[in-house]
Amino acid sequence: MMRRFLALLASFIVITSGAWAQERGSLMEDRAARKLLEAGDTRIEADETEKALEIWRSVIERYPRSKVRYDAHMRLGDYLLEKKRAFDEARGHFEAASAETNVDEEQRAEATLKTGICFYEGRFYGQCFKILRSVIEDFSTSAHVNEAYYYIGLGHFKLGHYSRAIEALEKVGTALSEEDKQIEKVEAGQRLFVKIDDQDLAILEPGETVTVVCRAKSGDEEQVICHPIGRQVRVVLGSIPTALGRPIPGNHQLEIKGGDEVEVIYVDSHTADRKFDQARLFTVKVVGSAIVQITDGSFADSLAGVVIGKQANLQIFDADKDVSDNPDKLDAVAEVWREKSTEELDAELAELAANGGLPDGNAPESDKPKIERYKKIDQTRVQLTEIKQDPPPAAEENASDPTDTQDEVIAEAPPVSPPDPAPEDPASAGEFAAEVQESAAEDPTFHSGAFRGTVVIEAAEQPKRNDAILQAQPGDLVRLRYKDDVNLTRTARDLVTQATCIEGNLGNVRVTKTSIDDSELRTRTQLRTAEALTNIGNHYQEFGLQDKADLKYEEALQVAEEILEEARNLGGSILEQAYVQLWRTYFAMGDFRLAVAMSQRLMREFPESSFVDEAMLQQANAFRGQGRLSEAINLFSSVLRLNESPLKGEAQFGIAETYEDMAADASAQQATQLYERAFVEYQKVYEQFPESGRVGDAVAKMANFYYQKEDYARAIDVFENVLADYPDANFLDIIMFNYGRCLYRLSQRKEARTMFDQLINDFPESDVASEAKRISDALVKAGY
């Protein structure tokens, strides 16, 4: 018995020690991977981009089991998406980071969102919608839900689905994360957002608004118009800009000052405890997040260097210190820091080691003590005086984090509200604006929140005590230090900016050479120029400005063709990108013949290119547009034969659409067979490519076939499935129209009228909306 117990104990020890060793190995691997990742970050800060990318890739290759690899995937994906605009390559990294094996839910949400953005930027809107909807469904408490709605709205706008674009964009800012809560502070000079959640607001009619009052304790009072964020919802949103200044009631801007408080007053007409016209009050404190700068003589730009023998210009923005109509003042400290000698650094290390402050050599870098390389040798207190001008709109380098400058009130997330309404009478509005400008010109008060001063820097090795001048040598650092007692955070912040002391003069810098010697860099720059011009042309085309679009396409074509010969000499990825750019420009121009020729050249010379499937797909669509339907089907089928391509669902849908085109041009007998074939091909999209963004469109097409066959009950089942599960399908207006007709055929006249009315409300720009209105009016006359 004892022997058996000992055997069990031994096996237990082996198992647990193995698990402990595995866990320890995992921790050590994570630590090493994190150190390598940070080395890549350092390279990025030093503008060594290629080296940074190489290091991040090595994290993934060397530590394939470490959770840090997901951070490396995100960094690579961000660079490829934002800098190189390599959407396909970036998407691969984001898809890897969004895998279920990643336990960081917030990172998975961000990676999934950016996967959808890659599809959006590549103009594959069907797949884009599917991915972004999964962000909304799977990560409902994430702040990324708002951005998902935003890109869904943009996608529908580009497709011309304006009502659905508005519906999605209305939801931007309404998703709440778990950390969101009502705020207690608002940043002076930023927009103040108001959100009201009241069950009674669900009965608001279209176009109705809610008015709240914003009252500053310093004297200003403004009305804010809040708009419903959708139909039959209980939430309204509104906003108003704030600014430092003397109160001017009724100018649609809330004038405030440092230390101010704003009361937001909403009258609840009917409360849950059966009371009427109850005022709801919420108070928010006005604060300013300070910005500290050492600037040039015009106080316009921050400087990294100051000249010994001259004065340094100091500037601090802090709205909290603007407390009166007169020029207010604030205090800061200017210091000189000098680099320590090698002997001084060694002495500090020796003292640290003697006191046991140095960890062993295997400790991670983050655990090792940081020794200050510089020592303070001089300082003086400086007083800065408020000037009479507005502060700059953008914060500089040591402003608070942008994520901290949220300025919403009575809100659980920063909403996006409609613009504030203008005065009703344009003439009176113009007179009012002129009056405001005139009063501003005559305003003798100081309300900028911008404080300026100077300090003299003289050359000296040793400082002089108790003087207002800084003594420094070349290479020393001048630091401006300021304590921001009141800001958006809960604690005071010590803000510091610095500049290096130099000899000579900072002025009269001239550009003596503007040409780029490196041919590869020049070619890449020209390719990006052509890409930008093509994108501008696409935007003009979307807004119906075809003449301007054509002009931009011609400019893009000229730039791309000029560097084609040089790209041929360079070869490799440069030539591949040149072919891709030319093909995309030709395609955007509608010159399908040249677009097809260029895409064929790309496939012939770069058969392994990641752009091949996109080229084949667009070439097939070009053939379809030219009426070369058999050739289009062959190319769509070629995409399906590729080993790995995210566009297979698009290709399968293209095959089905092409067969439908053939049926439309065929005789009656052939048309029936071709429609049957198209139905089968649409069904393949649903069955073989369930992850495709084209599933909703394919199912909608299948339902139309049921309607044509007068199988109304089965068509209704499919219609209901599409409306419930595929809110971004391209043909929802046609679905709703045919749904209403099916209900009419089945003698469900009241339900049919409801469906037609919903179509009119949701898709007023649809081609079938007028016909739906005619049928609905007829049903109303008939008593339905």
Side-chain angles (χ1 to χ4, degrees):
M1 186 72 177
M2 180 61 70
R3 186 174 298 170
R4 183 181 177 189
F5 171 76
L6 291 173
L8 289 171
L9 179 61
S11 65
F12 174 76
I13 292 172
V14 170
I15 292 171
T16 54
S17 63
W20 177 83
Q22 184 177 358
E23 183 178 353
R24 177 177 170 79
S26 175
L27 290 173
M28 293 178 66
E29 198 172 272
D30 287 347
R31 188 175 294 170
R34 178 66 62 187
K35 188 173 181 180
L36 196 59
L37 188 78
E38 291 171 354
D41 297 343
T42 304
R43 294 285 188 172
I44 280 288
E45 292 172 3
D47 288 332
E48 299 178 13
T49 304
E50 292 302 323
K51 189 64 178 176
L53 298 177
E54 182 182 335
I55 292 173
W56 289 336
R57 291 189 184 101
S58 70
V59 173
I60 300 168
E61 295 167 0
R62 294 172 59 181
Y63 305 102
R65 295 178 300 173
S66 171
K67 62 183 180 182
V68 181
R69 71 185 187 275
Y70 298 120
D71 296 321
H73 278 300
M74 291 299 295
R75 281 165 168 75
L76 287 165
D78 286 338
Y79 175 79
L80 292 167
L81 172 62
E82 297 167 9
K83 303 296 184 183
K84 289 193 67 177
R85 311 294 288 172
F87 308 125
D88 291 340
E89 194 176 350
R91 190 178 68 243
H93 288 288
F94 291 133
E95 287 173 345
S98 64
E100 292 184 1
T101 51
N102 187 355
V103 296
D104 187 340
E105 287 290 310
E106 186 62 19
Q107 190 177 70
R108 284 184 59 208
E110 183 183 359
T112 306
L113 171 75
K114 290 184 175 179
T115 301
I117 293 175
C118 288
F119 278 121
Y120 167 82
E121 296 289 359
R123 299 192 172 200
F124 300 112
Y125 300 116
Q127 287 160 299
C128 161
F129 293 143
K130 183 176 181 63
I131 296 295
L132 296 178
R133 290 287 177 188
S134 71
V135 175
I136 297 167
E137 294 168 5
D138 299 340
F139 307 99
S140 56
T141 60
S142 170
H144 296 297
V145 169
N146 291 315
E147 202 167 352
Y149 277 125
Y150 174 73
Y151 277 99
I152 289 172
L154 290 186
H156 280 303
F157 179 81
K158 288 183 177 294
L159 290 171
H161 305 159
Y162 302 119
S163 60
R164 272 184 285 175
I166 292 170
E167 181 182 359
L169 293 173
E170 281 176 340
K171 295 178 181 178
V172 176
T174 63
L176 311 179
S177 67
E178 293 176 343
E179 295 81 12
D180 289 330
K181 59 183 178 180
Q182 288 181 333
I183 64 153
E184 300 174 353
K185 300 176 182 178
V186 61
E187 180 85 21
Q190 301 293 323
R191 184 170 285 269
L192 178 70
F193 288 95
V194 178
K195 174 180 176 182
I196 301 172
D197 188 339
D198 186 351
Q199 188 68 46
D200 298 333
L201 300 178
I203 63 173
L204 288 177
E205 294 293 330
E208 277 193 87
T209 58
V210 174
T211 301
V212 300
V213 174
C214 290
R215 181 184 301 147
K217 287 195 173 180
S218 57
D220 197 10
E221 181 174 315
E222 302 291 340
Q223 291 187 340
V224 179
I225 307 300
C226 299
H227 301 258
I229 64 171
R231 301 176 183 87
Q232 298 180 345
V233 293
R234 52 185 285 174
V235 178
V236 295
L237 304 174
S239 71
I240 187 170
T242 67
L244 294 171
R246 63 186 178 93
I248 307 177
N251 67 342
H252 304 290
Q253 176 176 277
L254 192 65
E255 280 79 27
I256 53 180
K257 67 178 183 179
D260 217 339
E261 289 186 349
V262 177
E263 295 179 338
V264 182
I265 306 165
Y266 164 64
V267 178
D268 189 353
S269 57
H270 185 199
T271 67
D273 53 359
R274 300 184 180 181
K275 295 181 180 179
F276 299 92
D277 297 331
Q278 297 295 304
R280 304 295 185 188
L281 175 68
F282 188 84
T283 303
V284 62
K285 186 177 180 180
V286 176
V287 300
S289 295
I291 303 168
V292 180
Q293 298 174 311
I294 299 175
T295 72
D296 59 11
S298 65
F299 292 91
D301 297 315
S302 296
L303 294 180
V306 292
V307 179
I308 295 176
K310 297 188 177 181
Q311 63 184 20
N313 301 298
L314 314 177
Q315 183 167 247
I316 295 176
F317 296 100
D318 191 356
D320 299 316
K321 300 300 183 181
D322 176 41
V323 295
S324 70
D325 290 342
N326 300 316
D328 297 300
K329 300 181 183 296
L330 59 77
D331 292 329
V333 176
E335 304 169 339
V336 174
W337 289 68
R338 183 167 298 165
E339 190 169 13
K340 297 174 184 175
S341 65
T342 305
E343 292 77 11
E344 288 174 319
L345 292 172
D346 290 343
E348 285 190 36
L349 283 172
E351 183 180 356
L352 202 59
N355 296 329
L358 285 180
D360 60 67
N362 294 325
E365 194 69 26
S366 59
D367 293 343
K368 294 181 180 179
K370 303 295 183 185
I371 297 178
E372 172 64 60
R373 290 176 49 215
Y374 291 84
K375 60 182 178 182
K376 183 168 66 174
I377 64 166
D378 195 10
Q379 76 171 37
T380 184
R381 185 166 295 278
V382 292
Q383 189 173 73
L384 282 67
T385 304
E386 188 176 16
I387 58 158
K388 192 176 181 180
Q389 73 169 37
D390 292 331
E396 294 291 341
E397 63 272 9
N398 56 2
S400 59
D401 189 292
T403 57
D404 292 336
T405 58
Q406 296 175 351
D407 44 0
E408 67 279 17
V409 65
I410 313 185
E412 300 170 20
V416 176
S417 79
D420 296 312
E424 293 181 3
D425 180 11
S428 62
E431 294 170 4
F432 182 78
E435 181 183 337
V436 170
Q437 289 178 354
E438 184 179 351
S439 64
E442 298 172 354
D443 184 6
T445 61
F446 287 72
H447 291 291
S448 67
F451 298 80
R452 291 177 181 171
T454 61
V455 62
V456 175
I457 305 172
E458 67 177 22
E461 186 173 349
Q462 296 298 327
K464 299 175 184 178
R465 302 298 178 186
N466 302 320
D467 67 349
I469 299 175
L470 294 178
Q471 284 78 34
Q473 288 185 318
D476 289 348
L477 299 178
V478 171
R479 291 180 176 174
L480 177 61
R481 191 180 301 274
Y482 175 69
K483 187 173 183 179
D484 185 13
D485 295 309
V486 183
N487 52 78
L488 286 177
T489 67
R490 296 183 180 276
T491 59
R493 301 183 308 157
D494 288 319
L495 301 180
V496 180
T497 188
Q498 67 182 26
T500 304
C501 294
I502 63 173
E503 290 181 306
N505 199 328
L506 293 176
N508 300 324
V509 178
R510 294 184 297 113
V511 177
T512 59
K513 187 176 182 180
T514 58
S515 62
I516 302 174
D517 290 331
D518 191 315
S519 60
E520 181 176 347
L521 179 59
R522 182 170 60 251
T523 305
R524 289 185 185 276
T525 302
Q526 292 293 82
L527 283 172
R528 291 193 177 184
T529 302
E531 180 185 14
L533 289 168
T534 302
N535 289 335
I536 293 171
N538 291 337
H539 289 308
Y540 278 136
Q541 195 172 62
E542 287 163 4
F543 286 101
L545 304 173
Q546 192 59 48
D547 291 341
K548 290 188 176 182
D550 291 340
L551 182 61
K552 291 301 175 184
Y553 291 146
E554 289 294 340
E555 291 180 26
L557 196 59
Q558 182 178 356
V559 172
E561 288 178 340
E562 282 177 357
I563 51 92
L564 183 58
E565 188 60 37
E566 194 165 2
R568 285 198 184 99
N569 295 332
L570 292 168
S573 63
I574 295 289
L575 182 58
E576 178 188 3
Q577 291 173 26
Y579 286 161
V580 170
Q581 185 55 53
L582 281 167
W583 136 55
R584 286 178 173 166
T585 305
Y586 286 135
F587 194 84
M589 296 174 70
D591 193 336
F592 295 143
R593 182 182 62 83
L594 291 176
V596 167
M598 192 54 64
S599 63
Q600 287 175 338
R601 181 177 295 181
L602 172 69
M603 290 184 286
R604 184 171 60 252
E605 297 186 25
F606 298 94
E608 301 300 321
S609 171
S610 60
F611 297 101
V612 164
D613 54 351
E614 183 183 350
M616 294 169 70
L617 193 67
Q618 288 204 357
Q619 186 176 330
N621 284 323
F623 283 153
R624 186 174 160 230
Q626 293 172 329
R628 299 159 64 179
L629 302 182
S630 298
E631 294 175 82
I633 287 177
N634 289 335
L635 265 177
F636 283 132
S637 301
S638 297
V639 176
L640 295 178
R641 288 193 291 269
L642 295 174
N643 290 332
E644 291 186 13
S645 172
L647 305 180
K648 288 185 177 182
E650 294 279 344
Q652 181 60 55
F653 189 83
I655 291 173
E657 281 189 309
T658 309
Y659 275 116
E660 195 172 356
D661 292 343
M662 288 180 171
D665 296 333
S667 61
Q669 184 176 357
Q670 289 180 320
T672 301
Q673 296 176 347
L674 289 169
Y675 276 125
E676 292 288 346
R677 178 64 185 273
F679 180 88
V680 172
E681 298 299 335
Y682 283 125
Q683 194 169 8
K684 287 181 182 177
V685 177
Y686 179 79
E687 294 173 349
Q688 298 179 15
F689 305 101
E691 297 302 317
S692 168
R694 284 296 197 172
V695 170
D697 298 338
V699 175
K701 289 284 191 176
M702 292 164 62
N704 275 346
F705 285 118
Y706 287 131
Y707 176 80
Q708 298 296 332
K709 290 184 174 182
E710 299 183 0
D711 189 349
Y712 303 125
R714 194 169 182 181
I716 285 176
D717 290 340
V718 179
F719 289 145
E720 289 178 346
N721 177 49
V722 174
L723 292 175
D725 299 336
Y726 304 101
D728 300 303
N730 279 322
F731 311 109
L732 286 187
D733 53 340
I734 304 300
I735 289 174
M736 296 172 74
F737 185 71
N738 288 336
Y739 193 172
R741 292 202 292 177
C742 287
L743 291 169
Y744 183 87
R745 298 290 185 187
L746 294 175
S747 299
Q748 299 178 33
R749 306 294 168 81
K750 187 174 181 180
E751 292 82 356
R753 184 176 69 82
T754 301
M755 184 55 61
F756 288 128
D757 289 343
Q758 184 179 344
L759 163 62
I760 297 164
N761 289 330
D762 292 351
F763 300 96
E765 77 283 354
S766 170
D767 293 337
V768 296
S770 58
E771 181 66 12
K773 182 72 167 62
R774 187 183 65 79
I775 298 173
S776 177
D777 291 344
L779 288 170
V780 169
K781 288 182 180 179
Y784 297 104

